[in-house]
Amino acid sequence: MGQKVNPISFRLGNLFTWGSRWYADKNTYKKYLFEDKKIRDFLDPKLRTAGLVKIEIERSLNAIKVKLFVSRPGVVIGRGGANLDLLKQDLAKALKVNLNDPKGMKLVIDDIVEVKDPDLSARLVAERITDQLAKRFPHRTAVNQAIQRSMDAGAKGIKIVLAGRIGGAEISRREKYSKGTVPTQTLRGNIDYFELPSKTKSGYVGVKVWIYRGQEAMR
């Protein structure tokens, strides 16, 4: 089970919390769900250069609060907060929210959390590898560099799986690389996970990354 279930969802409530936190009845649930997906789809490409790791969304009766976890917060904020204001305005247009209406829905993006160890983020490691594979960088070199950087940053273990036409091969295959320990069954184990396809000229190559950061006390 530990090899097939997403290790983050497997630990929800014990170590991790939900990425979207709100309550909705049966009439508004679908609306909120699609709005959350629209927010994530809008912010993901815009904040990739800022090293986006995670987006958390909280809702109240008249407000949507978006919390961003990035490795380079200065890129998001900009000089004097100019980039952040522009990002907020663009997101409001995408959601059709009138920021000038005092009685309307409020959109808040003022909580920018810096991720101090980007090499311990499975998402950033996966994005780096997919970019390198798309540029025809040798896959073994890319993976070994990512493993070494994560271990040097303090990871207890890391596992990376590639699947597809690796290196432009005619027949797809699956390769697994690991170092240290990654206890997928231990609920106290803080394991970050992310999967992302690399769009190479030969076809898609799937990249999965597990990073074990050590054990933590359960909630």
Side-chain angles (χ1 to χ4, degrees), residues 128-146 149 162 165-168 198 200-201 205:
R128 188 186 306 120
I129 293 174
T130 56
D131 289 343
Q132 289 175 323
L133 294 181
K135 296 175 182 177
R136 295 187 174 185
F137 198 76
H139 66 278
R140 289 189 179 89
T141 304
V143 170
N144 290 331
Q145 286 180 355
R149 291 177 66 166
L162 305 181
R165 296 183 59 182
I166 304 171
S198 176
T200 67
K201 291 186 177 181
V205 176

Side-chain angles (χ1 to χ4, degrees), residues 1 34-35 50 57 63 66 75 83 89 100 112 118 124 139 150 167 173 184 188 206 212 215:
M1 181 176 64
F34 278 109
E35 279 188 352
I57 302 172
V66 180
V75 177
N83 291 353
Q89 292 173 8
N100 298 321
I112 313 296
L124 297 183
H139 66 278
S150 294
R173 65 182 188 272
T184 53
R188 292 176 297 172
Y212 176 50
Q215 292 193 12

Side-chain angles (χ1 to χ4, degrees), residues 91-112:
L91 181 57
K93 290 179 182 178
L95 297 176
K96 297 180 180 179
V97 173
N98 186 0
L99 298 176
N100 298 321
D101 186 1
K103 296 183 180 180
M105 181 67 68
K106 295 180 176 61
L107 179 62
V108 182
I109 312 178
D110 60 356
D111 199 351
I112 313 296

Side-chain angles (χ1 to χ4, degrees), residues 64-76:
I64 303 174
K65 183 178 180 181
V66 180
K67 186 176 182 179
L68 303 175
F69 294 78
V70 295
S71 61
R72 294 185 289 276
V75 177
V76 181

Side-chain angles (χ1 to χ4, degrees), residues 22 28-38 59:
W22 40 262
T28 57
Y29 179 85
K30 182 174 70 171
K31 175 188 174 184
Y32 288 176
L33 183 64
F34 278 109
E35 279 188 352
D36 281 11
K37 187 178 187 307
K38 185 180 290 187
R59 291 177 180 266

Side-chain angles (χ1 to χ4, degrees), residues 173-192:
R173 65 182 188 272
R174 183 175 182 269
E175 293 185 4
K176 183 174 74 171
Y177 305 85
S178 63
K179 189 172 184 179
T181 59
V182 184
T184 53
Q185 296 289 337
T186 305
L187 286 175
R188 292 176 297 172
N190 185 347
I191 297 179
D192 193 21

